[in-house]
Amino acid sequence: MNATSPTHRTVMRSQLGRARGLGSGHSGTGHWIVERVSAASLLPLSGWFVIQMFRLGGEDYEQVAKWGGKPVNATLLAALVATSFYHAEVGLQVIVDDYVHGKAHAPTKLLVKIGTGLLGLLGIVSVLKLALGRPASKG
Amino acid sequence: MQDVREALYVGSRSDGALIRRPMSPHLQVYKMRLSMFLSISNRITGVVATGGSALGVFWLAALAKGPKSFASARKVTGNPLGQLVLFGWILSLVWHTVGGLRHFIWDAGHRYDKKELNEDGPVALGVIAGVGVTLATALLGVSCCRARHRAKLLKKAS
């Protein structure tokens, strides 16, 4: 916030008038709920992934690729990736709202959306390729 | 765009001149307490866990791309520095999960009194340290053992 003295026009407007169009989009509760729901969904998905990693850690390429190509594994992996980055997006948004002010706020929020969105997509495309694509001979 | 909160800082002096009212002191007047530390650490570990998950997605992409990329990914994960990063990722995930579980308990309306909060903080820290270090060490240990065993078998076969 800047330290310049306020103009008369700023003062004459009511608090409600100032807040209109700048503040709540009436979506706060929804945001809070999806944060909790995605967190709760991540608990069993992460538990499954940890067990899988105990079985797979240190295995060679063929074994891991075979594991990722199985339909149930691919489904749960895609669900884990999607839910993780959705939860990350929702959580990072709150952090940006709290700590990034002024002009930087909107672009930072957009960057969070693009970043988490692209990472989630990369994960899902990779899972789909493992599950549906023909195994690459080179790479 | 001006911050909406600016409106709350507009005041007038007794002679009628408009001034910017002083802010009240914030965090700097409080002694750091465990509950404050656990609160902010939940956010920090959330960010760190997201970074780790991004690396996890790159691992998945390397696996999807083929054996050569997967071999390079394994060079990273097998490297001592990579192992340290993996350790930190697992620890921050456990940390954020414990913090999240506490939030669920509070959301349900329990353990939110001052006394209970102060009792639960050290317990949470203990659970984080115990579960986090055990899980990370076990997972990395099992993976290393298996990888070494594989390498030995390969050497014997060739």
Side-chain angles (χ1 to χ4, degrees), chain B residues 48-72:
Chain B
V48 174
T50 306
S53 303
L55 295 177
V57 163
F58 290 138
W59 173 82
L60 211 54
L63 176 66
K65 203 168 173 226
K68 261 191 189 164
S69 323
F70 191 66
S72 332

Side-chain angles (χ1 to χ4, degrees), chain A residues 1-14:
Chain A
M1 283 173 237
N2 54 18
T4 53
S5 64
T7 61
H8 208 67
R9 192 174 58 88
T10 327
V11 184
M12 288 301 285
R13 291 180 63 197
S14 73

Side-chain angles (χ1 to χ4, degrees), chain A residues 1-2 11 15 18 22 36 54-61 85 94 98-99 101 119 126 129-130 139, chain B residues 1 5-8 10 20 40 43 57-58 60-61 63-64 66-69 74 104 107 143 146-147 150:
Chain A
M1 283 173 237
N2 54 18
V11 184
Q15 302 241 340
R18 284 188 202 103
L22 293 174
R36 263 67 185 174
F54 267 111
R55 289 178 49 203
L56 272 179
E59 282 286 8
D60 47 20
Y61 170 76
F85 284 98
V94 180
D98 280 357
Y99 303 126
H101 302 301
L119 283 167
S126 304
K129 183 160 184 282
L130 278 174
Chain B
M1 192 194 295
R5 283 166 294 185
E6 287 285 350
L8 297 170
V10 179
R20 187 186 152 80
I40 190 63
R43 285 198 160 180
V57 163
F58 290 138
L60 211 54
L63 176 66
K68 261 191 189 164
S69 323
R74 289 193 72 172
F104 278 136
D107 293 344
S143 305
R146 195 177 281 135
R150 291 255 140 202

Side-chain angles (χ1 to χ4, degrees), chain A residues 32, chain B residues 102-111:
Chain A
W32 187 89
Chain B
R102 286 189 82 201
H103 270 283
F104 278 136
I105 295 170
W106 297 331
D107 293 344
H110 304 293
R111 311 295 299 167

Side-chain angles (χ1 to χ4, degrees), chain B residues 84-104:
Chain B
L84 194 71
V85 171
L86 278 173
F87 192 92
W89 182 34
I90 296 170
L91 193 66
S92 59
L93 278 174
V94 170
W95 195 308
H96 193 72
T97 305
V98 171
L101 286 173
R102 286 189 82 201
H103 270 283
F104 278 136

